[in-house]
Amino acid sequence: MKNIPMPLITGSFCTGPLNYIGQQEVQRDIANLKAAARGVHVEELSMTALAPTVMTYFLKNEHYASDRDFLFAIADAMNEEYRTHQAHTDDIPLEHILNILLKVNVGAYSFAASSPRHDHEWQVWKKIKLPDRKILIPGVIGHFTDWIEHPKLVAERILKYASVVGRENVIAGVDCGLGTRVGTESILWAKFESLVEAGGSPAGSCRERIRAHRAVDARRGIPQACNIRTFFSQLL
C-alpha cells in the first residue's frame, strides 16, 4: 500500500492465512516509549494493542470460511504482540486490597483464584479473618489456559479455601472472562464438566464437604447452600 494516494485506500483485505510480522516494529515502539520516559517521573509504563474484534473493522475477510475462524486467526496472530508488551505480572496482590474489599456491604466476594498469579492466595485467609456471614467465591477453573483442569485439581482448590474459612463459607466459582477467553465453546463446557465432577471427587469427598452453590435467602440477603452437582447439572 506504499505510495498509494490516501483517497484511493478504502480498506485492507485478508486473502490468505494470517501471520504476525511486526516483531521489529513492536520492539521499536517499546524502545521509543522507554526512551520518552527517561528522566521523567512515571508510576508505570503501559502499551496497548488493538483487540481482534476491533481489527475486523479495518481488515476484511476474503479467506477464512467464517467470521469466527477469521476472528480466531487474528487473535492467534496477534498473540505474539500481546505477550510482548502485556506480561501478566502486575496483578494487585489480594492481601493489599482486602482491607478495602471487606468493608463493602455485600454477601459474597468473587475473585480469580486459579491462575498462576493467584493460585497461592488462599493462604491469605490464614492471616485475615473472613467476617461473619460473608461468602468467598474463588475461581477454581480458569481462562489462562485451554487445558481442562482435572476434577481432582478443582476439588483441591475448593478444599484449600474450605480448610481455612469453613466449608459453609465457600462457593465454587470461575475466573473472570471464562466464556470469552478460552479457545472454543467446547473447551468452556469441558471446564464446567470438570467442575461438576469435582463435586463428587474422591479428593476429600468434595461433594459432601463444601457448599458449592447457594440460592438466595431473602431473609438474610445472602445465599444458602445447595450442591454443586445439582446446580451445574441444570446448566449442562
Side-chain angles (χ1 to χ4, degrees):
M1 296 173 65
K2 287 184 178 180
N3 303 319
I4 298 177
M6 287 302 293
L8 298 180
I9 299 176
T10 58
S12 300
F13 298 86
C14 171
T15 58
L18 289 173
N19 294 290
Y20 184 78
I21 59 173
Q23 291 87 350
Q24 292 183 352
E25 287 80 0
V26 74
Q27 291 301 328
R28 182 187 63 208
D29 288 344
I30 292 172
N32 287 340
L33 179 63
K34 290 181 176 179
R38 246 179 241 121
V40 179
H41 176 71
V42 293
E43 292 296 328
E44 61 181 26
L45 296 176
S46 176
M47 290 184 63
T48 61
L50 287 180
T53 49
V54 176
M55 294 182 69
T56 61
Y57 286 102
F58 307 101
L59 182 64
K60 305 304 179 184
N61 176 33
E62 291 189 351
H63 172 73
Y64 291 93
S66 68
D67 290 342
R68 178 186 177 86
D69 290 345
F70 181 45
L71 185 64
F72 276 93
I74 294 174
D76 289 340
M78 287 296 293
N79 183 54
E80 185 171 345
E81 179 166 329
Y82 297 149
R83 291 180 180 277
T84 298
H85 58 73
Q86 293 183 4
H88 213 108
T89 59
D90 297 324
D91 290 31
I92 299 174
L94 182 61
E95 60 185 328
H96 291 180
I97 57 174
L98 267 186
N99 62 324
I100 298 174
L101 290 180
L102 294 179
K103 294 177 182 177
V104 179
N105 185 24
V106 295
Y109 306 96
S110 175
F111 50 91
S114 66
S115 79
R117 299 297 300 180
H118 298 289
D119 197 21
H120 66 287
E121 291 185 321
W122 65 275
Q123 299 180 71
V124 170
W125 299 100
K126 291 181 178 180
K127 300 180 291 183
I128 299 176
K129 184 181 183 301
L130 180 68
D132 292 341
R133 300 175 71 178
K134 298 291 186 179
I135 305 299
L136 297 185
I137 313 177
V140 292
I141 54 176
H143 56 66
F144 69 95
T145 176
D146 282 352
W147 283 77
I148 309 303
E149 294 87 346
H150 194 284
K152 289 186 178 181
L153 173 62
V154 178
E156 287 175 1
R157 287 172 174 169
I158 299 169
L159 292 173
K160 286 177 186 176
Y161 283 89
S163 70
V164 291
V165 302
R167 64 186 184 184
E168 70 279 7
N169 298 315
V170 177
I171 300 174
V174 303
D175 279 2
C176 60
L178 182 63
T180 57
R181 295 175 65 180
V182 295
T184 66
E185 186 175 336
S186 62
I187 292 174
L188 167 66
W189 287 111
K191 285 175 175 283
F192 275 126
E193 288 169 356
S194 189
L195 180 52
V196 172
E197 191 172 341
S201 170
S205 298
C206 189
R207 180 178 59 182
E208 302 300 329
R209 294 178 57 188
I210 65 166
R211 300 168 75 178
H213 176 68
R214 296 165 181 249
V216 173
D217 182 330
R219 180 176 60 83
R220 296 175 62 194
I222 60 176
Q224 61 176 280
C226 91
N227 184 274
I228 185 172
R229 182 176 294 276
T230 302
F231 172 61
F232 277 100
S233 64
Q234 294 172 359
L235 292 182
L236 297 172

